[in-house]
Amino acid sequence: MKFKTSAILTAIVVVATLGYVTACDSPSRLASKIAGTWSGTSVRFDKKAVGDGTYTPVYEFTRAGAANEGTVTMTAQVSVTLPINAQVNAEGAAPVSATAAAVATVNGVWHADDDDEIKIAFDPATLKADVDPDVQFAVADVFTNFDTDESSTVAPQVLKAFSDQVTRGMNDVITRTHEFDDIHFTSDDMMTAKIHKTRQTFVRPQ
């Protein structure tokens, strides 16, 4: 009986020790898996920040050696649409909206908090937005009820209006992005995570 009791206690100690090692190692495994580049899907800006716009993020996680942390760069393809109130011309056409494309980048740091969560802190001072000066206009025809698209280079003040929208939208995004929570890897090249309480899907670029 003493032998059996001792054996059981030994087994419990071994299991507890293995569990402790596994728990301690989980953030390290997550840090190893998440290191690299992950492309996300298109996400709409909060309408309180940008009335009509989307961003498609790419996160690059760089790991500091074998540490459970490192630096992160988010590069986002951004699209912002602004309404236009213009008079109808002699041909019955008038631009009703303008859409600009931009590329935004921002740097920060990350830390693997446990086995399925990483904390992120972006530095707003590093946010940069490069807006394409060629803007796409949606032109409505009052006679045919059809819209056509036209591309044109816009004036600096118009470009600034778009740049301000992109900056406002991305500042709102990085302010809300504190963590990737409930991370699940469906494969080595695909994962899902909750950001702003919304589950998003990410893949490694091929």
Side-chain angles (χ1 to χ4, degrees):
M1 181 64 70
K2 289 184 179 180
F3 172 76
K4 290 184 178 180
T5 302
S6 177
I8 292 172
L9 289 174
T10 301
I12 291 174
V13 170
V14 170
V15 170
T17 302
L18 287 175
Y20 175 77
V21 171
T22 301
C24 289
D25 195 42
S26 293
S28 179
R29 289 201 306 272
L30 176 58
S32 177
K33 284 185 175 183
I34 206 165
T37 303
W38 295 92
S39 297
T41 54
S42 180
V43 182
R44 284 208 164 271
F45 286 115
D46 188 310
K47 286 187 175 294
K48 294 179 181 179
V50 177
D52 187 1
T54 62
Y55 68 98
T56 306
V58 175
Y59 294 89
E60 184 177 357
F61 295 97
T62 302
R63 192 180 183 193
N68 300 339
E69 60 190 15
T71 59
V72 57
T73 297
M74 178 173 63
T75 303
Q77 300 290 333
V78 182
S79 176
V80 171
T81 300
L82 294 176
I84 298 176
N85 185 14
Q87 293 182 344
V88 178
N89 62 19
E91 288 73 33
V96 292
S97 67
T99 301
V103 176
T105 61
V106 62
N107 299 319
V109 293
W110 66 274
H111 172 78
D113 198 45
D114 56 30
D115 62 344
D116 69 348
E117 178 182 284
I118 62 170
K119 299 296 186 183
I120 295 178
F122 284 111
D123 181 1
T126 66
L127 177 61
K128 296 180 181 179
D130 184 15
V131 182
D132 190 336
D134 290 334
V135 172
Q136 199 79 11
F137 291 90
V139 180
D141 190 316
V142 297
F143 299 129
T144 63
N145 290 325
F146 285 110
D147 291 352
T148 57
D149 291 333
E150 296 180 4
S151 181
S152 177
T153 302
V154 296
Q157 59 268 30
V158 177
L159 199 63
K160 184 180 184 305
F162 278 109
S163 181
D164 290 345
Q165 286 285 302
V166 173
T167 301
R168 184 180 300 114
M170 291 306 300
N171 265 318
D172 182 68
V173 169
I174 65 178
T175 298
R176 293 167 179 262
T177 306
H178 302 297
E179 62 184 14
F180 279 27
D181 191 20
D182 194 22
I183 298 171
H184 290 287
F185 292 91
T186 56
S187 71
D188 290 340
D189 298 321
M190 180 178 291
M191 73 171 177
T192 65
K194 286 184 180 179
I195 307 173
H196 314 162
K197 298 182 180 180
T198 301
R199 183 161 292 280
Q200 298 181 31
T201 300
F202 300 89
V203 297
R204 290 194 186 276
Q206 299 299 318

